[in-house]
């Protein structure tokens, strides 16, 4: 078990080092989110931590937009589902449950009820739909 207090009740050097690493990770996630570079961590073991961090800060819009634009609809849906698990009292959870929304409809409900960047998410979904129609037809 990890304890931050040493023998004398002071914060141990190991704890200070761990806290510094957490701060660096959080600053990195903030920077990646600000610059729309979520794909940088996509294939690393840090990606899940970043998704959790952004969800805990109620800042998954950029991540969702990035996933939609890269055609990762299932991943975007999973991010919204995780967000709903974290914040089951939010309006998007209630609406998604009533509508039994999944996939693109789940993303639309999230965009309409919770997102601070709803227009961007809606446009990304429109672009995804147009590309899907072009490639399938």
């Amino acid at each position: 078990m990890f304890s931050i207090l040493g023998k004398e009740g002071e914060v141990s050097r190991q704890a200070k080092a761990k806290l510094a690493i957490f701060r660096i990770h959080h600053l990195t996630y903030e920077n990646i989110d600000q610059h729309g570079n979520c794909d940088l961590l996509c294939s690393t073991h840090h990606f899940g931590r970043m998704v959790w961090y952004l969800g805990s800060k109620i800042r998954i819009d950029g991540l969702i937009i990035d996933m939609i634009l890269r055609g990762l609809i299932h991943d975007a849906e999973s991010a919204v589902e995780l967000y709903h698990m974290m914040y089951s009292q939010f309006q998007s959870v209630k609406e998604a449950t009533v509508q039994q929304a999944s996939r693109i409809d789940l993303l639309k409900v999230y965009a309409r009820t919770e997102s601070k960047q709803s227009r961007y998410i809606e446009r990304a979904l429109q672009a995804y739909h147009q590309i899907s129609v072009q490639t399938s037809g």
Side-chain angles (χ1 to χ4, degrees):
M1 185 170 148
F2 177 70
S3 173
I4 62 169
L5 298 179
K7 294 178 187 173
E8 305 297 318
E10 297 177 10
V11 176
S12 69
R13 276 183 271 159
Q14 181 185 12
K16 287 180 182 178
K18 285 245 185 214
L19 292 173
I21 290 169
F22 289 145
R23 274 189 241 124
I24 290 168
H25 285 177
H26 294 171
L27 290 171
T28 301
Y29 303 151
E30 293 283 337
N31 186 278
I32 285 171
D33 183 49
Q34 282 179 345
H35 293 96
N37 294 326
C38 294
D39 62 316
L40 290 176
L41 295 182
C42 191
S43 295
T44 71
H45 69 276
H46 295 285
F47 187 73
R49 294 175 188 171
M50 181 184 70
V51 173
W52 182 264
Y53 175 80
L54 294 175
S56 71
K57 297 296 181 184
I58 310 177
R59 292 184 49 191
I60 63 168
D61 290 358
L63 177 67
I64 290 171
I65 292 166
D66 178 70
M67 289 174 168
I68 295 168
L69 291 176
R70 291 189 296 127
L72 304 172
I73 291 295
H74 293 293
D75 292 347
E77 177 186 357
S78 294
V80 171
E81 288 172 346
L82 174 64
Y83 183 81
H84 284 176
M85 286 182 220
M86 295 170 81
Y87 302 104
S88 58
Q89 74 279 11
F90 282 9
Q91 185 63 31
S92 63
V93 178
K94 295 171 186 169
E95 283 196 34
T97 303
V98 168
Q99 295 178 21
Q100 295 180 340
S102 63
R103 287 207 56 166
I104 292 177
D105 291 332
L106 179 66
L107 296 170
K108 288 178 180 178
V109 168
Y110 168 80
R112 187 175 62 251
T113 57
E114 303 294 337
S115 176
K116 295 174 184 79
Q117 298 182 38
S118 60
R119 288 187 179 165
Y120 292 109
I121 292 175
E122 290 167 4
R123 287 183 189 146
L125 287 170
Q126 288 171 355
Y128 173 80
H129 178 71
Q130 288 174 348
I131 291 169
S132 295
V133 168
Q134 290 173 355
T135 57
S136 67

